[in-house]
Amino acid sequence: MMNKFAMGLAGMALAMPLAAAAQDGPGTSTKDSYRFLIVPKVVHPWFDKVNEGAEMAAAALEAQTGADIEIVYSAPQTADVVQQVQIVESAISTRPDGIAIDLLDPSGNRASLEAAQSQDIPLVIFDSVPPEGMDIPYIGSDFCEQAKIASRRLVEVLGGEGEVAIMMGVPTAPNHSIRADCHREVFAEHEGITVVAEGIDNDSIETAQQQAAAIMQANPNLSGWVASDAAGPIGIGQAIIEAGKQDQVTLVGLDNLPEMLDMIRSGVADSSSASQPELQGYWSVMLLWAQATGAPVPDYLDTGNAFLTKDNLDG
């Protein structure tokens, strides 16, 4: 799980390279100010953490380079690729120094990304993977492994037997669809596990709660849940509490939002497989800044996953 100590280490690791970069090296150039756009999937607490990381990076760059770094955070009100594309296209006309985006639909997002590239606007994909054939640096965790950590844990807790359900998030979002596929893959390896239902919450806690309540009512023998997005397990947990099934249904969650952590502490959820949103925001800005100065950047940056239980949450 991301913490101030880990972020401090990241800052220290960057101190020397950034100080050197302030002196324009071969093939690089710097400016007095930069404006970077952060475009998440939707208004959501997980993306607030991404923005916090982006602001930390801006502060680090300002301290090291003396440049003014502006972070413009612009989120669609709902998980709608049309809204997301409109935000990007509007931003392109203002010539930002870089755009970081979490894709809702690679096909739907492609044209706006190509438009940005045609105008030499640096791009970074976070919490997702680039559309097929597009050369864009991306940041995130191993989405499949994150899902498998959760689904393997659920199988273990259930003793390899029981009816389970999957909350899929936004089905067109690459990270959500990858996680859902990998949940299915793990469950298919165990004859005693049966997937009886799949919900779609579109990254909405309220929708996840409604879907989970309906699925549990329709499947009274349901033993466990996993999710493919950060909103899903919070809504599922609320539905479990409302149904009074804390001792009957095991929830293995995703990510590290405060509500998720509270559910683990209270026993509503067994555990969570967590990505690190602050790091994704932090490194998105760092990679955009590097590209804007003409410096090379890696194709992929893995921010890792953490497995959270009641035993290690406050350790």
Side-chain angles (χ1 to χ4, degrees):
M1 182 172 64
M2 186 58 197
N3 53 47
K4 292 181 180 178
F5 176 72
M7 189 62 76
L9 289 178
M12 287 189 288
L14 280 165
M16 290 183 63
L18 289 180
Q23 307 295 321
D24 292 358
T28 64
S29 62
T30 55
K31 304 193 305 180
D32 293 333
S33 64
Y34 296 87
R35 179 168 50 88
F36 300 123
L37 180 70
I38 309 295
V39 186
K41 287 189 180 78
V42 68
V43 174
H44 193 293
W46 192 90
F47 293 113
D48 292 341
K49 289 178 173 285
V50 172
N51 191 40
E52 289 172 10
E55 293 288 355
M56 291 179 192
L61 286 170
E62 288 182 340
Q64 292 293 332
T65 69
D68 292 327
I69 310 293
E70 180 185 3
I71 303 299
V72 179
Y73 179 76
S74 187
Q77 289 300 309
T78 60
D80 180 353
V81 69
V82 174
Q83 290 185 36
Q84 194 179 48
V85 167
Q86 288 172 343
I87 290 170
V88 173
E89 290 179 345
S90 177
I92 289 172
S93 67
T94 69
R95 298 292 303 172
D97 295 291
I99 300 172
I101 182 170
D102 183 356
L103 304 183
L104 272 166
D105 182 343
S107 297
N109 289 117
R110 179 183 287 273
S112 60
L113 298 177
E114 291 174 342
Q117 286 184 325
S118 71
Q119 298 192 39
D120 296 323
I121 297 173
L123 294 173
V124 165
I125 305 293
F126 68 91
D127 194 40
S128 187
V129 295
E132 186 174 355
M134 293 196 74
D135 185 17
I136 303 173
Y138 64 107
I139 299 169
S141 60
D142 184 330
F143 306 125
C144 186
E145 183 58 27
Q146 183 185 11
K148 287 185 174 182
I149 289 169
S151 42
R152 286 169 180 158
R153 172 70 171 191
L154 181 59
V155 171
E156 176 187 351
V157 173
L158 296 181
E161 295 185 356
E163 295 181 0
V164 301
I166 301 169
M167 193 66 74
M168 295 194 295
V170 181
T172 58
N175 57 338
H176 295 182
S177 63
I178 289 169
R179 290 180 186 130
D181 285 343
C182 292
H183 284 316
R184 296 183 193 107
E185 182 180 329
V186 169
F187 293 144
E189 295 170 355
H190 299 272
E191 292 184 359
I193 297 293
T194 303
V195 178
V196 295
E198 297 185 353
I200 297 175
D201 62 50
N202 286 318
D203 233 338
S204 163
I205 293 172
E206 181 181 0
T207 302
Q209 184 274 330
Q210 294 168 350
Q211 292 264 309
I215 287 171
M216 287 191 294
Q217 185 174 11
N219 299 274
N221 295 322
L222 188 74
S223 300
W225 275 102
V226 291
S228 304
D229 65 325
I234 298 172
I236 294 166
Q238 292 173 350
I240 289 173
I241 293 169
E242 290 170 2
K245 293 191 172 185
Q246 293 93 319
D247 297 327
Q248 302 171 46
V249 179
T250 300
L251 166 62
V252 178
L254 206 77
D255 285 318
N256 62 349
L257 291 179
E259 297 92 335
M260 184 73 256
L261 305 186
D262 288 344
M263 286 181 179
I264 295 173
R265 292 187 181 102
S266 67
V268 174
D270 169 80
S271 52
S272 182
S273 179
S275 58
Q276 306 190 84
E278 296 96 336
L279 274 181
Q280 294 194 32
Y282 188 93
W283 288 109
S284 289
V285 171
M286 289 297 179
L287 265 60
L288 288 176
W289 176 82
Q291 291 181 78
T293 65
V297 298
D299 294 331
Y300 172 58
L301 200 159
D302 186 348
T303 54
N305 294 307
F307 180 60
L308 307 177
T309 67
K310 192 173 183 178
D311 293 335
N312 67 19
L313 265 185
D314 299 312

